[in-house]
Amino acid sequence: MDITEQLRAFVATARAGSFTAGAEQLGISNRLASKYVAELEDRLGTRLLQRTTRRIGLTPAGERLLAEAPSVLDGLDDLLGAVSEQSRGFSGVLRISAPVTFGEVYLAEMLARFAAPHPDLVIDLTLSDAATDLAAEGIDLAFRIGQLRDQALRARKLGEIGMRVVASPAYLERAGRPDQIADLADHRCIHDTNHSAIPHWRYREGGEIATLPVPAQIRVNSGRAACELTLAGHGITYGPEFVLEPEIAAGRLVSLFPPETLLRIPLHAVYLDGPRLPRKLRALIDFAYEDTRALRG
């Protein structure tokens, strides 16, 4: 009999406290679970479980085996999974959450490139500017822009997203170009409320972080919508480079201040804490880290 099946039966039974509950976890019969454990005890020449009519306890040998067996089984699963995935690729579903504009402009295409070599892998992407509850909504990985607040989550920092203050050439011809950030108080501005509910723009001044109250005539919770309004000449906006840079490069928007005077906002991949990180999830995080080098500059 395969010793791995015997070990799985022992671990499930010992953790659950009964053959019935352990067998249920493994999807086998109570009798088969008991048979596997008995065979393991015969193989080792020692009793692992103390059986009574009410409960199952561990012998000293059983306690030692339970301390080591789960990591051995996990290592075996990792090895077999790696060999299988090398030939077949990843499979199953990865549930991802991200802010709307970041998802639309950048992430969706990146995830498609990650999934392309894995025809049996399904990417389920949910876009929301609200902080998703990963456990409640069954999310495997979330991308978060800004400072992290949930200390219960594990996180990997992917980099920092640069910000720009931009306007269209037509707007600047009509309203004039601000010479310094404080001059924005005299201009029509478009505020993306994803950065702050209050229209304040943060920047660096003399090595310190300063905050400028902005008289935003239009407020919208979408970086893409703020960009479109700015392209149409409705005012000046402050937004992330991954949205604005293509328009700046094409000459449709003008960057008003040096990027080093503006703050950079952290980008993280966050996930639930747990004993093992699934291989496909670890691979996606590594892929995202390498791919976002373009955003980090």
Side-chain angles (χ1 to χ4, degrees):
M1 178 53 61
D2 186 350
I3 191 172
T4 60
E5 297 304 321
Q6 295 169 354
L7 281 173
R8 292 186 201 280
F10 164 72
V11 170
T13 300
R15 286 176 167 174
S18 75
F19 283 109
T20 301
E24 206 170 284
Q25 290 179 12
L26 296 174
I28 61 177
S29 69
N30 186 347
R31 175 178 290 185
L32 189 56
S34 179
K35 178 175 180 288
Y36 284 166
V37 173
E39 288 173 344
L40 181 60
E41 290 177 325
D42 288 343
R43 179 191 291 266
L44 298 175
T46 187
R47 186 170 292 278
L48 300 171
L49 300 177
Q50 297 285 6
R51 300 159 176 83
T52 69
T53 55
R54 293 186 176 182
R55 63 182 300 274
I56 286 177
L58 289 169
T59 66
E63 289 178 354
R64 180 177 179 183
L65 186 60
L66 184 61
E68 301 292 338
S71 63
V72 171
L73 292 170
D74 286 347
L76 180 61
D77 288 341
D78 280 344
L79 174 61
L80 296 177
V83 173
S84 174
E85 287 164 356
Q86 189 173 14
S87 60
R88 295 187 299 105
F90 296 120
S91 61
V93 180
L94 275 175
R95 295 176 175 84
I96 313 298
S97 173
V100 175
T101 301
F102 181 69
E104 292 176 339
V105 174
Y106 182 83
L107 185 62
E109 194 273 337
M110 187 203 81
L111 291 173
R113 283 187 281 108
F114 173 77
H118 309 287
D120 295 326
L121 180 66
V122 175
I123 300 292
D124 185 344
L125 175 61
T126 299
L127 300 181
S128 173
D129 291 323
T132 307
D133 185 327
L134 274 64
E137 300 189 33
I139 299 297
D140 297 303
L141 185 70
F143 290 84
R144 299 272 172 86
I145 297 175
Q147 298 299 328
L148 296 179
R149 295 178 175 83
D150 192 339
Q151 300 300 316
L153 296 175
R154 296 183 66 183
R156 181 172 180 182
K157 186 175 181 180
L158 302 178
E160 294 180 334
I161 293 174
M163 303 294 287
R164 294 293 188 96
V165 175
V166 297
S168 69
Y171 174 85
L172 295 176
E173 184 176 348
R174 183 175 71 250
R177 178 170 181 153
D179 294 321
Q180 53 188 350
I181 291 181
D183 293 341
L184 293 174
D186 299 322
H187 284 264
R188 297 177 63 180
C189 294
I190 300 161
H191 181 59
D192 177 1
T193 57
N194 284 310
H195 304 306
S196 168
I198 303 171
H200 288 171
W201 293 355
R202 303 175 73 204
Y203 62 101
R204 297 186 185 279
E205 185 175 60
E208 301 292 329
I209 295 177
T211 301
L212 176 72
V214 175
Q217 185 177 42
I218 302 174
R219 304 179 190 179
V220 59
N221 66 336
S222 165
R224 175 175 277 183
C227 178
E228 292 296 329
L229 290 166
T230 307
L231 285 166
H234 293 294
I236 297 172
T237 198
Y238 170 78
E241 286 181 345
F242 67 83
V243 175
L244 302 175
E245 187 60 41
E247 306 299 339
I248 296 170
R252 290 187 289 268
L253 290 177
V254 177
S255 181
L256 299 180
F257 307 109
E260 59 269 20
T261 64
L262 304 174
L263 298 187
R264 298 184 66 83
I265 301 177
L267 170 66
H268 290 89
V270 302
Y271 50 97
L272 294 171
D273 198 4
R276 296 175 62 214
L277 187 64
R279 190 178 298 101
K280 59 189 173 186
L281 185 55
R282 183 167 61 245
L284 173 56
I285 294 170
D286 290 342
F287 184 90
Y289 181 82
E290 292 302 319
D291 201 76
T292 51
R293 287 182 186 276
L295 295 182
R296 297 196 293 275

